[in-house]
Amino acid sequence: MSQAVRTGAPDLDRDAIDYEKIKDPGHGNTPAAWTGVFLMLLGGVILAVGFVMVVDVIIYAGIAVFVAGPIIGLIMRAAGKGKPRS
């Protein structure tokens, strides 16, 4: 069995890559993003518990927390806690 050595794409022009632009892609590592994601995860857990227990109040509370996550994240971004728009 022969093994091929991969040296990269032959048509890749490494001089055309803007390394300063891709140095920090900013994958949402901001307080606004973390808060929004945490609230959505918490809402999903509450919602799952509500489904298992078959309690409507808990289900609606989970939906409310889940929907509040992105809204609060956007509010925090507008307040300066998120990544600025480019």
Side-chain angles (χ1 to χ4, degrees):
M1 182 190 300
S2 65
Q3 292 184 358
V5 177
R6 183 176 172 100
T7 59
D11 60 342
L12 179 63
D13 183 11
R14 295 184 192 281
D15 295 330
I17 299 173
D18 185 6
Y19 288 101
E20 286 300 315
K21 186 175 183 180
I22 64 172
K23 186 176 181 180
D24 180 23
H27 286 82
N29 291 328
T30 63
W34 280 104
T35 303
V37 170
F38 174 75
L39 286 173
M40 291 176 66
L41 287 171
L42 180 65
V45 169
I46 294 170
L47 186 60
V49 169
F51 274 128
V52 171
M53 294 175 60
V54 193
V55 178
D56 290 341
V57 174
I58 297 176
I59 292 172
Y60 292 130
I63 292 171
V65 172
F66 186 86
V67 170
I71 295 169
I72 292 174
L74 288 172
I75 291 170
M76 287 181 68
R77 185 176 78 177
K81 297 292 184 185
K83 183 178 177 190
R85 290 188 173 205
S86 52

